[in-house]
Amino acid sequence: MAEINELKRTASQVRRDIVRMVHGCKSGHPGGSLGCADFLTALYFDVMKHNPQFSMEGKGEDIFFLSNGHISPVFYSVLARSGYFPVKELATFRQLNSRLQGHPATAEHLPGVRIASGSLGQGVSVAVGAAQAKKLNNDASLVYALMGDGEMQEGQIWEALMYAAHNKVDNLILTIDFNKQQIDGSTVEIMGFDDISSKIISFGWQVLHMNGNDMADVVKVMHEAKAACGKGKPVFIIMKTEMGQGVDFMMGSHKWHGVAPNDEQLASALKQLDETLGDY
Amino acid sequence: MKHYEIFDKKDTRSGFGAGLLEAGKSNSEVVALCADLTGSVKMDAFKTAFPDRFFQVGIAEANMIGLAAGMSIGGKIPFTGTFANFSTGRVFDQIRQSVAYSNKNVKICASHAGLTLGEDGATHQILEDIGLMKMLPNMTVINPCDYNQTKAATMAIAAYTGPVYLRFGRPVVPNFTASDQKFEIGKAWMVNEGKDVSIFATGHLVWKAIEAGYILAEKGIDAEIINIHTIKPLDEAAVLKSVAKTKCVVTAEEHQRHGGLGDSICQLLARNTPAPVEMVAVNDSFGESGVPEDLLKKYKLDTPDIVEAVLKVLARKG
């Protein structure tokens, strides 16, 4: 399991990047970013075949879309750590004249970002379209996308789910960050759906389950998902995560969705996260 | 006043359909997406010719815009088709984020724009679409005047890289521009050179402006008529050159006064050479059901309204 340990070490550095970035600009979204750190690390350091010499079209390589754009810190960290742009640029997050906008954008030409996201509900449609373009191009590589669970309250998500199944877009792996938290409280309180799995299955997708904070499970299920592609149905992964995973005082609550830690809290968080690849 | 022959009468949406078919033939990257209105927006010829490049998305316009943005990432040139209302107002944020801000090579093609949609009434008669689209950075806004020009514009936007909003309509109208015209995005088209007043018209009202030009000529008024088929980017040089000569302006469009072509012209003049302007446009109201020609009369977008606006602005010019 050396490989899993290596991924865990990388994820620890990604988590350090997240809390440091959010602390540095005194804004941003640490909770969901920390929760998805294992998943994004596995994706960019193991699961996807991708080229850090970025091309917008991404022909012949796997491509990823982040629909819940507010967890940009984790996205930027894995992109930088996997070689898309200099790691030191993470220090410019959310600052004037930076390529690292609060929510991911293409306008500043940050390598690794193919679409703007932030206004929720749009990224799945984009991913489905990109997957269909790959089919038209006879490109056998895959499209990955991540969305939030609160994001499923947006109607466009269901339009895209319906369309992808009807059109057998089976080169697409869509993961939902099922942390059951959103800004105003828990998803159970706000717009609860008890059995997400049966809803997605009834929409015609294959559904897999994953513990998004267990690196071994993430790697195992993601490879199962790849194997499930090409069989006439798009693949949906219900990924259970803990918002704020890895920083004890940020876990178990929606309160750290969009709040930056102060100096003291940063110090406490960094004590819990090993510096494995060197801070930026 | 230059004479224009009416070759035939056709709908501009059919010009779009013919142009899309040609664009599909000349470039295999062109794909089309439609939200359950294939016949109405005249995408059926493309669908028949290129079934693998046609995507029926159902009644889900938000998804359609996102799909198109995604396809453009894979190098495709997506044309989306539905009514103008569902092409813009319904999906403004999807266009804003996934197309305009992301600067994707998506062509948003919108039929049944304006009052001349007719009997379906105000729910479908969008009069705000030009304003919505022209406010978006990166977006090009085109509103051609007849069948031939719409066909040429459709082929031209396929060859242009960047987001485009292409607006056209439902009714059969005079087809009078050359069938072999070269459509230049952003280049105003001189319909008639004159010296007394500049009439800047777009879309269906270009022909109405020509009709007004004949009436004005009988009155001894020499109107310069310019077809502003591209509202953004506006051909500022052509507008300023004309107004430098005529010193007064009438704008004509099938759109709200707020946010339309007239609004763009007024801004340009205010920043450069202020001149009196009369605007033939819908005055801050919704439309209603009716026959297209009756609606143009009731909402004062018809030939006599352009004539009246010219007389009024000439009086103001002093």
Side-chain angles (χ1 to χ4, degrees):
Chain A
M1 296 294 277
E3 190 189 333
I4 297 297
N5 282 333
E6 192 64 26
L7 291 169
K8 283 182 179 175
R9 283 167 50 80
T10 302
S12 179
Q13 187 66 53
V14 167
R15 288 192 161 94
R16 285 182 71 89
D17 289 348
I18 292 166
V19 291
R20 293 183 71 239
M21 287 165 74
V22 172
H23 171 264
C25 61
K26 298 184 172 55
S27 70
H29 298 80
S33 295
L34 290 167
C36 290
D38 303 304
F39 171 69
L40 266 291
T41 299
L43 211 53
Y44 275 81
F45 289 85
D46 178 72
V47 178
M48 290 203 307
K49 287 181 188 152
H50 63 106
N51 185 2
Q53 298 302 311
F54 178 68
S55 78
M56 178 56 78
E57 293 193 2
K59 285 186 179 165
E61 61 175 314
D62 296 335
I63 61 176
F64 169 75
F65 293 98
L66 181 69
S67 190
N68 48 333
H70 56 274
I71 67 164
S72 55
V74 63
F75 189 27
Y76 294 151
S77 172
V78 295
L79 286 176
R81 295 284 171 186
S82 56
Y84 280 81
F85 57 86
V87 170
K88 66 175 189 302
E89 203 171 336
L90 295 175
T92 70
F93 176 57
R94 284 183 170 241
Q95 292 178 8
L96 201 62
N97 302 317
S98 172
R99 298 195 292 181
L100 279 63
Q101 292 291 297
H103 293 80
T106 59
E108 292 78 16
H109 307 289
L110 184 69
V113 181
R114 292 189 168 85
I115 194 83
S117 60
S119 177
L120 294 174
Q122 301 185 28
V124 180
S125 300
V126 174
V128 175
Q132 286 199 295
K134 281 201 178 291
K135 285 183 178 254
L136 286 170
N137 292 336
N138 296 313
D139 178 346
S141 54
L142 300 176
V143 175
Y144 293 81
L146 175 65
M147 67 173 169
D149 50 2
E151 191 173 4
M152 293 210 82
Q153 292 153 18
E154 293 281 5
Q156 187 181 346
I157 294 289
W158 300 92
E159 295 181 4
L161 292 176
M162 211 184 306
Y163 176 92
H166 179 82
N167 289 284
K168 301 183 170 52
V169 183
D170 59 2
N171 55 343
L172 171 67
I173 299 172
L174 170 61
T175 300
I176 182 169
D177 177 16
F178 198 44
N179 63 17
K180 300 190 182 177
Q181 304 291 339
Q182 58 189 107
I183 294 177
D184 275 0
S186 77
T187 55
V188 176
E189 290 163 5
I190 288 167
M191 198 62 68
F193 35 82
D194 294 335
D195 185 1
I196 185 171
S197 179
S198 66
K199 287 185 173 63
I200 304 303
I201 289 169
S202 73
F203 267 63
W205 288 57
Q206 301 179 76
V207 173
L208 300 175
H209 296 266
M210 183 164 90
N211 179 348
N213 296 131
D214 174 343
M215 189 61 86
D217 196 51
V218 171
V219 170
K220 178 172 94 52
V221 174
M222 290 309 294
H223 284 280
E224 285 170 15
K226 283 165 81 165
C229 286
K231 295 182 177 162
K233 288 183 176 186
V235 179
F236 191 102
I237 300 173
I238 299 172
M239 175 175 75
K240 282 192 177 161
T241 67
E242 183 80 37
M243 189 180 260
Q245 177 71 32
V247 177
D248 55 9
F249 62 87
M250 290 187 180
M251 290 167 67
S253 158
H254 64 276
K255 287 176 186 153
W256 286 90
H257 168 91
V259 179
N262 61 26
D263 294 351
E264 208 174 303
Q265 290 162 331
L266 174 70
S268 166
L270 292 178
K271 267 188 210 157
Q272 303 172 45
L273 301 165
D274 292 339
E275 182 181 350
T276 54
L277 302 174
D279 287 338
Y280 62 81
Chain B
M1 177 70 196
K2 190 173 169 183
H3 175 73
Y4 281 93
E5 185 189 343
I6 297 176
F7 308 126
D8 48 17
K9 290 195 169 187
K10 285 183 179 175
D11 47 352
T12 51
R13 57 182 164 149
S14 287
F16 163 70
L20 181 63
L21 181 62
E22 290 304 315
K25 284 178 188 166
S26 60
N27 189 339
S28 62
E29 300 290 12
V30 169
V31 298
L33 301 87
C34 188
D36 197 34
L37 287 168
T38 310
S40 296
V41 302
K42 304 296 180 186
M43 290 175 122
D44 25 19
F46 183 95
K47 179 186 175 183
T48 303
F50 309 108
D52 296 341
R53 287 152 56 192
F54 176 82
F55 299 88
Q56 171 61 261
V57 305
I59 311 163
E61 296 82 7
N63 187 42
M64 176 166 72
I65 297 298
L67 292 169
M71 288 181 190
S72 77
I73 291 168
K76 303 298 148 193
I77 306 171
F79 283 64
T80 66
T82 182
F83 290 168
N85 186 32
F86 314 138
S87 293
T88 57
R90 188 177 183 91
V91 291
F92 183 73
D93 188 48
Q94 283 78 13
I95 294 174
R96 182 176 179 274
Q97 176 171 288
S98 294
V99 177
Y101 183 37
S102 296
N103 205 10
K104 296 304 178 203
N105 193 21
V106 173
K107 318 302 172 186
I108 297 157
C109 301
S111 185
H112 293 54
L115 285 176
T116 53
L117 166 118
E119 296 83 345
D120 277 350
T123 54
H124 288 50
Q125 288 162 338
I126 193 161
L127 296 164
E128 302 83 23
D129 54 325
I130 291 173
L132 286 170
M133 292 298 107
K134 82 174 186 181
M135 280 196 294
L136 291 171
N138 295 332
M139 185 65 76
T140 292
V141 179
I142 298 174
N143 184 28
C145 67
D146 69 358
Y147 173 96
N148 283 342
Q149 192 161 77
T150 307
K151 181 180 176 186
T154 305
M155 291 154 66
I157 64 173
Y160 163 85
T161 303
V164 175
Y165 178 61
L166 180 68
R167 179 196 218 231
F168 43 90
R170 173 176 181 244
V172 167
V173 294
N175 186 29
F176 63 96
T177 66
S179 60
D180 62 347
Q181 69 189 279
K182 184 177 181 320
F183 187 90
E184 288 184 72
I185 296 169
K187 181 90 176 144
W189 185 59
M190 181 63 76
V191 177
N192 187 61
E193 287 193 42
K195 63 178 183 348
D196 296 332
V197 59
S198 300
I199 304 177
F200 299 112
T202 191
H204 292 144
L205 292 205
V206 173
W207 181 255
K208 299 286 184 189
I210 291 171
E211 288 182 336
Y214 296 139
I215 295 168
L216 291 164
E218 286 170 15
K219 297 176 187 290
I221 296 164
D222 183 15
E224 179 145 297
I225 303 170
I226 296 181
N227 172 9
I228 307 285
H229 53 59
T230 307
I231 291 155
K232 186 185 171 193
L234 185 64
D235 189 345
E236 298 189 350
V239 173
L240 292 174
K241 187 181 171 197
S242 177
V243 179
K245 177 171 58 176
T246 64
K247 313 285 190 205
C248 67
V249 172
V250 167
T251 62
E253 63 194 305
E254 200 182 335
H255 189 272
Q256 297 287 358
R257 180 185 290 178
H258 296 304
L261 168 65
D263 163 297
S264 291
I265 299 274
C266 286
Q267 284 191 43
L268 174 67
L269 295 179
R271 283 187 279 112
N272 291 274
T273 52
V277 178
E278 291 294 328
M279 296 161 78
V280 175
V282 175
N283 186 11
D284 201 23
S285 76
F286 290 102
E288 64 182 85
S289 292
V291 174
E293 283 297 320
D294 291 346
L295 287 162
L296 292 181
K297 282 190 183 68
K298 175 164 178 178
Y299 288 84
K300 299 192 177 302
L301 305 181
D302 206 356
T303 305
D305 304 302
I306 298 173
V307 172
E308 192 181 317
V310 167
L311 297 177
K312 199 170 167 187
V313 85
L314 283 171
R316 288 175 60 201
K317 180 162 88 165

